[in-house]
Amino acid sequence: MPETDYLLENRKAEAAQRFAALSALFDPATLRQFDACGMAEGWRCWEVGAGGSALVRAIAGRVGHAGHVLATDIDASWTKEAASANVDIRIHDVALDPPPGEAFDLVHARLVLVHVPERERALRNMVSALKPGGWLVVEDADPALQPLSCIDVHGPEQELANRIRQGFRALLSSRGADLGFGRTLPRLFRQAGMAEIAAEAYFPITLPECAPLEVATIAMIRDDLLGHGIATAEEIERHLRNVRAGVLDLSQPPMISVRGRKPR
Ligand SMILES: C[S@@+](CC[C@H](N)C(=O)[O-])C[C@H]1O[C@@H](n2cnc3c(N)ncnc32)[C@H](O)[C@@H]1O
């Protein structure tokens, strides 16, 4: 995917805040997936499309100095803050570049494949980088299952929030994101020959961590919202005031987490 096509381009100053907000909201659920795989000291892990540094640090802490984390992204501007003795950061396109020549215990990508046009090739590359018996964990949202920002619509504040969220989804879709991709993952895992497949969804109805994510996302796409006539500057400011005032129960689409094991 050409970098310019990625709506939430990492170089934007607000990207660091958005990555921190994604981690605050989703890392606990992601770490539960790793626990289910039996992540342990000494594991070698590949974090694909890492974005920020928090999850990479958390993985590095779990695998310890006997283990190793390779964190890759097409733009590692924010990932590199996680560099340490057992973490390597690399610029790498999961679909277009050859997979790293290591045999990983675990390969993980969260909210990455939905943005990659050559998703199935990316998935094949991730599977090929696993050692026999290694675990693949892929997590992607499925906004088509639950597209609303506020699921309890009881006034103009929620209607505005939902209109802005709908516009954001349309922008993502127009740039190639597949908004119903999450649900396809179990099938894609099976087609890729994975074993012990398990899938579940994590669906925040409203959590304190949803508000910083909304603020950071709106900051990143503000110009696109204005440019496409999705909301006026006044409406965007009003929505941000509503978010900060805590009058909205902000939701997220279900995050579908799938894990599977490469046969031995
Ligand atoms: C929505 S962010 C998610 C970041 C992080 N995985 C998380 O969940 O917090 C998507 C990330 O995928 C990266 N990305 C997009 N296309 C990629 C590709 N083809 N190869 C590797 N990374 C890619 C972006 O640069 C960005 O950092």
Side-chain angles (χ1 to χ4, degrees), residues 71-90:
T72 59
D73 203 296
I74 50 170
D75 177 353
S77 309
W78 306 104
T79 323
K80 61 186 180 203
E81 291 173 10
S84 72
N86 64 344
V87 176
D88 277 331
I89 315 289
R90 207 176 292 167

Side-chain angles (χ1 to χ4, degrees), residues 6-262:
Y6 182 48
L7 180 65
L8 302 159
E9 222 178 295
N10 294 0
R11 281 167 302 176
K12 291 188 179 171
E14 299 83 5
Q17 283 162 9
R18 187 161 189 278
F19 288 141
L22 284 173
S23 266
L25 185 55
F26 292 117
D27 282 5
T30 295
L31 293 171
R32 283 196 291 276
Q33 291 297 321
F34 297 163
D35 288 340
C37 299
M39 180 183 269
E41 278 198 26
W43 273 30
R44 303 182 71 79
C45 303
W46 178 19
E47 179 62 21
V48 176
S53 58
L55 182 61
V56 177
R57 284 204 181 100
I59 300 171
R62 286 183 170 216
V63 301
H65 290 294
H68 182 254
V69 186
L70 173 65
T72 59
D73 203 296
I74 50 170
D75 177 353
S77 309
W78 306 104
T79 323
K80 61 186 180 203
E81 291 173 10
S84 72
N86 64 344
V87 176
D88 277 331
I89 315 289
R90 207 176 292 167
I91 306 279
H92 178 271
D93 186 313
V94 64
L96 304 183
D97 293 329
E102 290 179 52
F104 293 98
D105 296 284
L106 181 132
V107 176
H108 172 245
R110 183 179 72 197
L111 295 171
V112 178
L113 292 193
V114 72
H115 299 292
V116 178
E118 312 82 1
R119 295 174 189 109
E120 297 192 14
R121 185 160 151 202
L123 198 71
R124 277 199 303 278
N125 285 344
M126 292 194 286
V127 172
S128 74
L130 284 169
K131 71 177 196 187
W135 286 92
L136 178 65
V137 179
V138 178
E139 304 182 280
D140 267 296
D142 195 313
L145 276 178
Q146 195 302 96
L148 299 178
S149 184
C150 298
I151 55 179
D152 175 25
V153 188
H154 58 93
E157 297 90 351
Q158 290 78 24
E159 281 166 12
L160 176 59
N162 285 342
R163 175 151 59 84
I164 290 176
R165 181 70 65 86
Q166 195 182 16
F168 171 45
R169 299 289 175 226
L171 288 172
L172 282 174
S173 180
S174 71
R175 304 207 184 182
D178 177 352
L179 303 181
F181 179 62
R183 72 192 71 177
T184 69
L185 285 169
R187 174 169 48 86
L188 296 179
F189 268 49
R190 215 167 22 257
Q191 286 170 354
M194 303 302 282
E196 297 180 47
I197 298 169
E200 50 199 303
Y202 173 65
F203 174 18
I205 306 287
T206 186
L207 286 172
E209 291 81 4
C210 290
L213 178 58
E214 182 74 1
V215 172
T217 303
I218 298 290
M220 291 189 78
I221 61 168
R222 190 176 186 282
D223 292 346
D224 294 280
L225 292 174
L226 290 171
H228 289 82
I230 294 163
T232 64
E234 189 278 323
E235 286 171 329
I236 293 173
E237 289 319 308
R238 181 151 37 101
H239 174 58
L240 289 173
R241 275 198 306 279
N242 292 338
V243 172
R244 293 196 174 101
V247 299
L248 300 173
D249 290 322
L250 288 169
S251 181
Q252 283 292 317
M255 174 77 84
I256 299 189
S257 303
V258 186
R259 56 181 189 271
R261 208 162 188 190
K262 188 168 177 172

